[in-house]
Amino acid sequence: MKKISILAFAISSFPVCFAASPPMKSAGHVAVQPFGQTSDGQKVNLYTLRNAAGMEVTITNYGGTVTTVKVPDRNGKYDDVVLGFDSLQGYTQPANTAYFGAIVGRYGNRIAKGTFSLDGKTYHIPLNDGPNALHGGTTGFNKRVWTAKDVSTANEPALELHYLSPDGEQGFPGNLDVTVRYSLDAKNGLRLDYSAKTDKDTVLNLTNHSYFNLAGAGSATVLDHRLMLAASRFTPVNSTLIPTGEIVPVSGTPLDFTHLTVVGSRINSDYPQIKIANGYDHNFVLDSPGDLSKVAARVEEPKSGRVMEVYTTQPGIQFYTGNFLNGKISGIGGAYRYRSALCLETQHFPDSPNQPNFPSTVLHPGEQFKSTTIYRFSTH
Ligand code: GLA
């Protein structure tokens, strides 16, 4: 009798489970469904990439945003490991100032006083972070509708997103033609290939702003995750989180993640750089810049056993512990609380246009900007 009722439950719940998860798709194909309409009437879609192993990523062409990343734990149980929303309104709500999952540009992170000079001319970007411009100004690439194309190959689902940022948009010079190609490989690697061209000298810093919690989006904290950053130096910041221009060793400081370390173990330290940022919100200088074969960051979550490795051609990573999240906004995983996720934003260094010491972020006409970042998921 008991057996029968369990079976009956299993059978009756099966269609519900099946309906709740997106339909199966083979590799080499991107599925499309409507995701909503912007206030100015632009329709946006949700694109699903799924590999043969069962990993699944959804992306909307609003902001080029990764909305879900479903990967297995060590027992094969799938969970969504990025903070996101199940409708466009989640992203467009005024309370959302966190850049959840979005492509950030034209200039990721801060430009001091929103001002920089290029070829003897001064440019002004709208201020949206105290005295500074953050993530491309008030209306960055995260709030733009991108055109989308299925560019899957026989083995890999892939989505190409394109945005033309007009000359003068948010104060930046030059028409900037940007392409971001998302693809999912057979080994649970989510790959982002960025490319861009300009018709005038401009500055550029593109990244993706996904918030990860490997225990599952909406889990209470990320402080129990372990992190390794292949970075023996970082760029200290002033009280408005603008780099001082120095590049200093992490050794002997709570910013030393050169060996796997529990994220929360030193987050409440009195070290001035931690106090200034109210946690981690710093640019780490990678030891092997430009080398896609070297792991730049590794994150492990002890209970689920999930692991994420980051590979990148970019010279830096912004490690941010969700210090501005406060639980007032809720998404697919529930309330997104203080320090309940971490970001590893592969990037050029913040405020580079004003920092002669940092690698250049200037793009000239006739050049093509290219960068690649891979987030690879496994278990331990
Ligand atoms: C980056 C910044 C943080 C914060 C987030 C978005 O990580 O460095 O200070 O602005 O973006 O909330």
Side-chain angles (χ1 to χ4, degrees), residues 73-356:
D73 69 5
R74 60 160 78 89
N75 300 316
K77 179 178 174 281
Y78 279 75
D79 256 316
D80 177 15
V81 295
V82 295
L83 275 51
F85 302 96
D86 60 8
S87 72
L88 180 63
Q89 287 65 39
Y91 293 94
T92 54
Q93 61 182 308
N96 174 19
T97 54
Y99 302 85
F100 291 109
I103 296 296
V104 167
R106 182 178 303 199
Y107 196 92
N109 213 281
R110 294 171 177 81
I111 294 179
K113 303 191 171 80
T115 300
F116 64 92
S117 295
L118 189 59
D119 306 328
K121 267 187 84 179
T122 302
Y123 295 95
H124 297 285
I125 314 307
L127 307 182
N128 58 340
D129 187 62
N132 305 314
L134 175 69
H135 293 329
T138 41
T139 316
F141 291 1
N142 59 301
K143 292 183 179 165
R144 306 292 179 183
V145 175
W146 298 56
T147 55
K149 199 159 85 181
D150 182 348
V151 292
S152 300
T153 62
N155 303 318
E156 288 183 5
L159 180 73
E160 189 174 279
L161 298 175
H162 178 251
Y163 178 63
L164 181 66
S165 170
D167 186 13
E169 184 182 67
Q170 296 291 292
F172 291 99
N175 291 296
L176 187 78
D177 211 318
V178 191
T179 301
V180 179
R181 182 183 189 272
Y182 282 101
S183 57
L184 186 55
D185 69 25
K187 291 191 206 148
N188 287 2
L190 174 63
R191 178 176 173 130
L192 288 83
D193 292 292
Y194 301 83
S195 59
K197 281 192 224 159
T198 184
D199 60 2
K200 276 186 194 164
D201 286 1
T202 191
V203 294
L204 176 68
N205 193 18
L206 299 174
T207 191
N208 174 278
H209 210 302
S210 286
Y211 285 74
F212 299 97
N213 186 318
L214 299 185
S219 298
T221 185
V222 85
L223 298 184
D224 55 351
H225 288 44
R226 291 190 287 259
L227 172 70
M228 187 284 295
L229 285 169
S232 45
R233 295 173 302 158
F234 77 108
T235 54
V237 286
N238 70 18
S239 62
T240 68
L241 301 184
I242 293 294
T244 60
E246 301 153 282
I247 299 180
V248 306
V250 294
S251 154
T253 80
L255 285 89
D256 188 348
F257 284 96
T258 51
H259 301 284
L260 269 182
T261 306
V262 174
V263 167
S265 60
R266 301 160 302 180
I267 201 168
N268 296 315
S269 103
D270 285 337
Y271 186 67
Q273 283 294 310
I274 299 280
K275 286 268 167 219
I276 280 179
N278 190 28
Y280 295 98
D281 193 351
H282 298 86
N283 172 62
F284 286 74
V285 177
L286 293 171
D287 291 336
S288 303
D291 189 345
L292 205 56
S293 70
K294 297 252 164 65
V295 68
R298 179 183 172 93
V299 188
E300 295 184 0
E301 199 280 314
K303 289 192 210 81
S304 67
R306 290 193 184 95
V307 175
M308 180 177 78
E309 287 176 330
V310 183
Y311 299 82
T312 187
T313 59
Q314 291 279 58
I317 285 193
Q318 187 80 14
F319 169 47
Y320 168 60
T321 41
N323 313 308
F324 292 115
L325 299 178
N326 57 15
K328 288 197 181 138
I329 212 165
S330 289
I332 298 171
Y336 292 150
R337 286 166 278 184
Y338 182 55
R339 294 179 177 167
S340 68
L342 59 82
C343 303
L344 292 165
E345 304 155 53
T346 57
Q347 62 180 5
H348 268 258
F349 306 170
D351 197 35
S352 295
N354 294 307
Q355 305 277 356

